[in-house]
mmCIF file with all atom_site columns, all heavy atoms in Angstrom:
data_model
loop_
_atom_site.group_PDB
_atom_site.id
_atom_site.type_symbol
_atom_site.label_atom_id
_atom_site.label_alt_id
_atom_site.label_comp_id
_atom_site.label_asym_id
_atom_site.label_entity_id
_atom_site.label_seq_id
_atom_site.pdbx_PDB_ins_code
_atom_site.Cartn_x
_atom_site.Cartn_y
_atom_site.Cartn_z
_atom_site.occupancy
_atom_site.B_iso_or_equiv
_atom_site.pdbx_formal_charge
_atom_site.auth_seq_id
_atom_site.auth_comp_id
_atom_site.auth_asym_id
_atom_site.auth_atom_id
_atom_site.pdbx_PDB_model_num
ATOM 1   N N   . ALA N 1 174 ? -0.296  -3.158  -21.824 1.00 0.00 ? 1294 ALA N N   1
ATOM 2   C CA  . ALA N 1 174 ? 0.290   -2.023  -22.541 1.00 0.00 ? 1294 ALA N CA  1
ATOM 3   C C   . ALA N 1 174 ? 1.238   -1.292  -21.592 1.00 0.00 ? 1294 ALA N C   1
ATOM 4   O O   . ALA N 1 174 ? 1.502   -1.772  -20.493 1.00 0.00 ? 1294 ALA N O   1
ATOM 5   C CB  . ALA N 1 174 ? -0.825  -1.104  -23.037 1.00 0.00 ? 1294 ALA N CB  1
ATOM 6   N N   . TYR N 1 175 ? 1.695   -0.140  -22.018 1.00 0.00 ? 1295 TYR N N   1
ATOM 7   C CA  . TYR N 1 175 ? 2.603   0.662   -21.195 1.00 0.00 ? 1295 TYR N CA  1
ATOM 8   C C   . TYR N 1 175 ? 1.937   1.019   -19.874 1.00 0.00 ? 1295 TYR N C   1
ATOM 9   O O   . TYR N 1 175 ? 0.936   1.719   -19.849 1.00 0.00 ? 1295 TYR N O   1
ATOM 10  C CB  . TYR N 1 175 ? 2.978   1.930   -22.011 1.00 0.00 ? 1295 TYR N CB  1
ATOM 11  C CG  . TYR N 1 175 ? 3.712   3.008   -21.278 1.00 0.00 ? 1295 TYR N CG  1
ATOM 12  C CD1 . TYR N 1 175 ? 4.950   2.772   -20.697 1.00 0.00 ? 1295 TYR N CD1 1
ATOM 13  C CD2 . TYR N 1 175 ? 3.186   4.294   -21.204 1.00 0.00 ? 1295 TYR N CD2 1
ATOM 14  C CE1 . TYR N 1 175 ? 5.625   3.798   -20.036 1.00 0.00 ? 1295 TYR N CE1 1
ATOM 15  C CE2 . TYR N 1 175 ? 3.856   5.313   -20.535 1.00 0.00 ? 1295 TYR N CE2 1
ATOM 16  C CZ  . TYR N 1 175 ? 5.082   5.041   -19.957 1.00 0.00 ? 1295 TYR N CZ  1
ATOM 17  O OH  . TYR N 1 175 ? 5.743   6.050   -19.305 1.00 0.00 ? 1295 TYR N OH  1
ATOM 18  N N   . ARG N 1 176 ? 2.462   0.500   -18.776 1.00 0.00 ? 1296 ARG N N   1
ATOM 19  C CA  . ARG N 1 176 ? 1.943   0.720   -17.415 1.00 0.00 ? 1296 ARG N CA  1
ATOM 20  C C   . ARG N 1 176 ? 0.447   0.394   -17.305 1.00 0.00 ? 1296 ARG N C   1
ATOM 21  O O   . ARG N 1 176 ? -0.283  1.055   -16.582 1.00 0.00 ? 1296 ARG N O   1
ATOM 22  C CB  . ARG N 1 176 ? 2.181   2.149   -16.937 1.00 0.00 ? 1296 ARG N CB  1
ATOM 23  C CG  . ARG N 1 176 ? 3.574   2.635   -17.023 1.00 0.00 ? 1296 ARG N CG  1
ATOM 24  C CD  . ARG N 1 176 ? 4.530   1.935   -16.073 1.00 0.00 ? 1296 ARG N CD  1
ATOM 25  N NE  . ARG N 1 176 ? 5.874   2.375   -16.313 1.00 0.00 ? 1296 ARG N NE  1
ATOM 26  C CZ  . ARG N 1 176 ? 6.724   1.804   -17.185 1.00 0.00 ? 1296 ARG N CZ  1
ATOM 27  N NH1 . ARG N 1 176 ? 6.376   0.687   -17.809 1.00 0.00 ? 1296 ARG N NH1 1
ATOM 28  N NH2 . ARG N 1 176 ? 7.918   2.271   -17.381 1.00 0.00 ? 1296 ARG N NH2 1
ATOM 29  N N   . HIS N 1 177 ? 0.021   -0.588  -18.058 1.00 0.00 ? 1297 HIS N N   1
ATOM 30  C CA  . HIS N 1 177 ? -1.402  -0.955  -18.046 1.00 0.00 ? 1297 HIS N CA  1
ATOM 31  C C   . HIS N 1 177 ? -1.560  -2.456  -18.172 1.00 0.00 ? 1297 HIS N C   1
ATOM 32  O O   . HIS N 1 177 ? -0.973  -3.084  -19.048 1.00 0.00 ? 1297 HIS N O   1
ATOM 33  C CB  . HIS N 1 177 ? -2.095  -0.251  -19.243 1.00 0.00 ? 1297 HIS N CB  1
ATOM 34  C CG  . HIS N 1 177 ? -3.512  -0.755  -19.478 1.00 0.00 ? 1297 HIS N CG  1
ATOM 35  N ND1 . HIS N 1 177 ? -4.610  -0.189  -18.889 1.00 0.00 ? 1297 HIS N ND1 1
ATOM 36  C CD2 . HIS N 1 177 ? -3.960  -1.781  -20.234 1.00 0.00 ? 1297 HIS N CD2 1
ATOM 37  C CE1 . HIS N 1 177 ? -5.689  -0.851  -19.277 1.00 0.00 ? 1297 HIS N CE1 1
ATOM 38  N NE2 . HIS N 1 177 ? -5.329  -1.806  -20.090 1.00 0.00 ? 1297 HIS N NE2 1
ATOM 39  N N   . VAL N 1 178 ? -2.335  -3.023  -17.256 1.00 0.00 ? 1298 VAL N N   1
ATOM 40  C CA  . VAL N 1 178 ? -2.606  -4.468  -17.264 1.00 0.00 ? 1298 VAL N CA  1
ATOM 41  C C   . VAL N 1 178 ? -4.062  -4.662  -16.868 1.00 0.00 ? 1298 VAL N C   1
ATOM 42  O O   . VAL N 1 178 ? -4.508  -4.136  -15.846 1.00 0.00 ? 1298 VAL N O   1
ATOM 43  C CB  . VAL N 1 178 ? -1.719  -5.204  -16.233 1.00 0.00 ? 1298 VAL N CB  1
ATOM 44  C CG1 . VAL N 1 178 ? -1.994  -6.696  -16.230 1.00 0.00 ? 1298 VAL N CG1 1
ATOM 45  C CG2 . VAL N 1 178 ? -0.246  -4.957  -16.507 1.00 0.00 ? 1298 VAL N CG2 1
ATOM 46  N N   . ARG N 1 179 ? -4.798  -5.391  -17.668 1.00 0.00 ? 1299 ARG N N   1
ATOM 47  C CA  . ARG N 1 179 ? -6.182  -5.644  -17.331 1.00 0.00 ? 1299 ARG N CA  1
ATOM 48  C C   . ARG N 1 179 ? -6.596  -7.028  -17.783 1.00 0.00 ? 1299 ARG N C   1
ATOM 49  O O   . ARG N 1 179 ? -6.241  -7.434  -18.905 1.00 0.00 ? 1299 ARG N O   1
ATOM 50  C CB  . ARG N 1 179 ? -7.062  -4.610  -18.040 1.00 0.00 ? 1299 ARG N CB  1
ATOM 51  C CG  . ARG N 1 179 ? -8.361  -4.317  -17.334 1.00 0.00 ? 1299 ARG N CG  1
ATOM 52  C CD  . ARG N 1 179 ? -9.012  -3.141  -18.013 1.00 0.00 ? 1299 ARG N CD  1
ATOM 53  N NE  . ARG N 1 179 ? -9.750  -3.637  -19.155 1.00 0.00 ? 1299 ARG N NE  1
ATOM 54  C CZ  . ARG N 1 179 ? -11.075 -3.502  -19.275 1.00 0.00 ? 1299 ARG N CZ  1
ATOM 55  N NH1 . ARG N 1 179 ? -11.752 -2.849  -18.358 1.00 0.00 ? 1299 ARG N NH1 1
ATOM 56  N NH2 . ARG N 1 179 ? -11.706 -3.979  -20.312 1.00 0.00 ? 1299 ARG N NH2 1
ATOM 57  N N   . LEU N 1 180 ? -7.301  -7.725  -16.908 1.00 0.00 ? 1300 LEU N N   1
ATOM 58  C CA  . LEU N 1 180 ? -7.780  -9.035  -17.271 1.00 0.00 ? 1300 LEU N CA  1
ATOM 59  C C   . LEU N 1 180 ? -8.798  -8.882  -18.409 1.00 0.00 ? 1300 LEU N C   1
ATOM 60  O O   . LEU N 1 180 ? -9.691  -8.047  -18.318 1.00 0.00 ? 1300 LEU N O   1
ATOM 61  C CB  . LEU N 1 180 ? -8.457  -9.629  -16.034 1.00 0.00 ? 1300 LEU N CB  1
ATOM 62  C CG  . LEU N 1 180 ? -8.616  -11.123 -15.919 1.00 0.00 ? 1300 LEU N CG  1
ATOM 63  C CD1 . LEU N 1 180 ? -7.316  -11.881 -16.186 1.00 0.00 ? 1300 LEU N CD1 1
ATOM 64  C CD2 . LEU N 1 180 ? -9.146  -11.452 -14.539 1.00 0.00 ? 1300 LEU N CD2 1
ATOM 65  N N   . LYS N 1 181 ? -8.646  -9.650  -19.494 1.00 0.00 ? 1301 LYS N N   1
ATOM 66  C CA  . LYS N 1 181 ? -9.558  -9.479  -20.626 1.00 0.00 ? 1301 LYS N CA  1
ATOM 67  C C   . LYS N 1 181 ? -11.000 -9.758  -20.228 1.00 0.00 ? 1301 LYS N C   1
ATOM 68  O O   . LYS N 1 181 ? -11.922 -9.142  -20.727 1.00 0.00 ? 1301 LYS N O   1
ATOM 69  C CB  . LYS N 1 181 ? -9.151  -10.389 -21.772 1.00 0.00 ? 1301 LYS N CB  1
ATOM 70  C CG  . LYS N 1 181 ? -7.934  -9.877  -22.525 1.00 0.00 ? 1301 LYS N CG  1
ATOM 71  C CD  . LYS N 1 181 ? -7.575  -10.793 -23.682 1.00 0.00 ? 1301 LYS N CD  1
ATOM 72  C CE  . LYS N 1 181 ? -6.319  -10.279 -24.372 1.00 0.00 ? 1301 LYS N CE  1
ATOM 73  N NZ  . LYS N 1 181 ? -5.664  -11.336 -25.152 1.00 0.00 ? 1301 LYS N NZ  1
ATOM 74  N N   . SER N 1 182 ? -11.163 -10.686 -19.294 1.00 0.00 ? 1302 SER N N   1
ATOM 75  C CA  . SER N 1 182 ? -12.530 -11.046 -18.896 1.00 0.00 ? 1302 SER N CA  1
ATOM 76  C C   . SER N 1 182 ? -13.089 -10.078 -17.862 1.00 0.00 ? 1302 SER N C   1
ATOM 77  O O   . SER N 1 182 ? -14.220 -10.222 -17.412 1.00 0.00 ? 1302 SER N O   1
ATOM 78  C CB  . SER N 1 182 ? -12.569 -12.454 -18.339 1.00 0.00 ? 1302 SER N CB  1
ATOM 79  O OG  . SER N 1 182 ? -11.668 -12.537 -17.246 1.00 0.00 ? 1302 SER N OG  1
ATOM 80  N N   . GLU N 1 183 ? -12.293 -9.048  -17.446 1.00 0.00 ? 1303 GLU N N   1
ATOM 81  C CA  . GLU N 1 183 ? -12.777 -8.095  -16.451 1.00 0.00 ? 1303 GLU N CA  1
ATOM 82  C C   . GLU N 1 183 ? -13.991 -7.369  -17.034 1.00 0.00 ? 1303 GLU N C   1
ATOM 83  O O   . GLU N 1 183 ? -14.086 -7.165  -18.232 1.00 0.00 ? 1303 GLU N O   1
ATOM 84  C CB  . GLU N 1 183 ? -11.699 -7.057  -16.125 1.00 0.00 ? 1303 GLU N CB  1
ATOM 85  C CG  . GLU N 1 183 ? -11.671 -6.659  -14.687 1.00 0.00 ? 1303 GLU N CG  1
ATOM 86  C CD  . GLU N 1 183 ? -10.560 -5.637  -14.419 1.00 0.00 ? 1303 GLU N CD  1
ATOM 87  O OE1 . GLU N 1 183 ? -10.685 -4.511  -14.902 1.00 0.00 ? 1303 GLU N OE1 1
ATOM 88  O OE2 . GLU N 1 183 ? -9.599  -6.040  -13.744 1.00 0.00 ? 1303 GLU N OE2 1
ATOM 89  N N   . GLY N 1 184 ? -14.888 -6.967  -16.190 1.00 0.00 ? 1304 GLY N N   1
ATOM 90  C CA  . GLY N 1 184 ? -16.078 -6.324  -16.721 1.00 0.00 ? 1304 GLY N CA  1
ATOM 91  C C   . GLY N 1 184 ? -17.282 -7.075  -16.220 1.00 0.00 ? 1304 GLY N C   1
ATOM 92  O O   . GLY N 1 184 ? -18.335 -6.522  -15.970 1.00 0.00 ? 1304 GLY N O   1
ATOM 93  N N   . ARG N 1 185 ? -17.135 -8.434  -16.045 1.00 0.00 ? 1305 ARG N N   1
ATOM 94  C CA  . ARG N 1 185 ? -18.226 -9.137  -15.399 1.00 0.00 ? 1305 ARG N CA  1
ATOM 95  C C   . ARG N 1 185 ? -18.271 -8.687  -13.943 1.00 0.00 ? 1305 ARG N C   1
ATOM 96  O O   . ARG N 1 185 ? -17.270 -8.273  -13.358 1.00 0.00 ? 1305 ARG N O   1
ATOM 97  C CB  . ARG N 1 185 ? -18.059 -10.659 -15.540 1.00 0.00 ? 1305 ARG N CB  1
ATOM 98  C CG  . ARG N 1 185 ? -16.822 -11.184 -14.974 1.00 0.00 ? 1305 ARG N CG  1
ATOM 99  C CD  . ARG N 1 185 ? -16.491 -12.591 -15.509 1.00 0.00 ? 1305 ARG N CD  1
ATOM 100 N NE  . ARG N 1 185 ? -15.114 -12.877 -15.210 1.00 0.00 ? 1305 ARG N NE  1
ATOM 101 C CZ  . ARG N 1 185 ? -14.678 -13.391 -14.065 1.00 0.00 ? 1305 ARG N CZ  1
ATOM 102 N NH1 . ARG N 1 185 ? -15.546 -13.711 -13.127 1.00 0.00 ? 1305 ARG N NH1 1
ATOM 103 N NH2 . ARG N 1 185 ? -13.415 -13.566 -13.833 1.00 0.00 ? 1305 ARG N NH2 1
ATOM 104 N N   . SER N 1 186 ? -19.443 -8.702  -13.345 1.00 0.00 ? 1306 SER N N   1
ATOM 105 C CA  . SER N 1 186 ? -19.587 -8.226  -11.980 1.00 0.00 ? 1306 SER N CA  1
ATOM 106 C C   . SER N 1 186 ? -19.966 -9.377  -11.049 1.00 0.00 ? 1306 SER N C   1
ATOM 107 O O   . SER N 1 186 ? -20.561 -10.355 -11.488 1.00 0.00 ? 1306 SER N O   1
ATOM 108 C CB  . SER N 1 186 ? -20.667 -7.162  -11.896 1.00 0.00 ? 1306 SER N CB  1
ATOM 109 O OG  . SER N 1 186 ? -20.291 -6.074  -12.685 1.00 0.00 ? 1306 SER N OG  1
ATOM 110 N N   . ASP N 1 187 ? -19.602 -9.242  -9.782  1.00 0.00 ? 1307 ASP N N   1
ATOM 111 C CA  . ASP N 1 187 ? -20.012 -10.276 -8.844  1.00 0.00 ? 1307 ASP N CA  1
ATOM 112 C C   . ASP N 1 187 ? -21.391 -9.922  -8.258  1.00 0.00 ? 1307 ASP N C   1
ATOM 113 O O   . ASP N 1 187 ? -22.020 -8.956  -8.686  1.00 0.00 ? 1307 ASP N O   1
ATOM 114 C CB  . ASP N 1 187 ? -18.959 -10.488 -7.746  1.00 0.00 ? 1307 ASP N CB  1
ATOM 115 C CG  . ASP N 1 187 ? -18.781 -9.263  -6.879  1.00 0.00 ? 1307 ASP N CG  1
ATOM 116 O OD1 . ASP N 1 187 ? -19.612 -8.337  -7.003  1.00 0.00 ? 1307 ASP N OD1 1
ATOM 117 O OD2 . ASP N 1 187 ? -17.832 -9.221  -6.097  1.00 0.00 ? 1307 ASP N OD2 1
#
Side-chain angles (χ1 to χ4, degrees):
Y1295 170 60
R1296 307 292 175 270
H1297 169 90
V1298 180
R1299 207 171 84 118
L1300 202 50
K1301 284 181 183 160
S1302 57
E1303 217 179 69
R1305 58 198 164 86
S1306 297
D1307 64 11

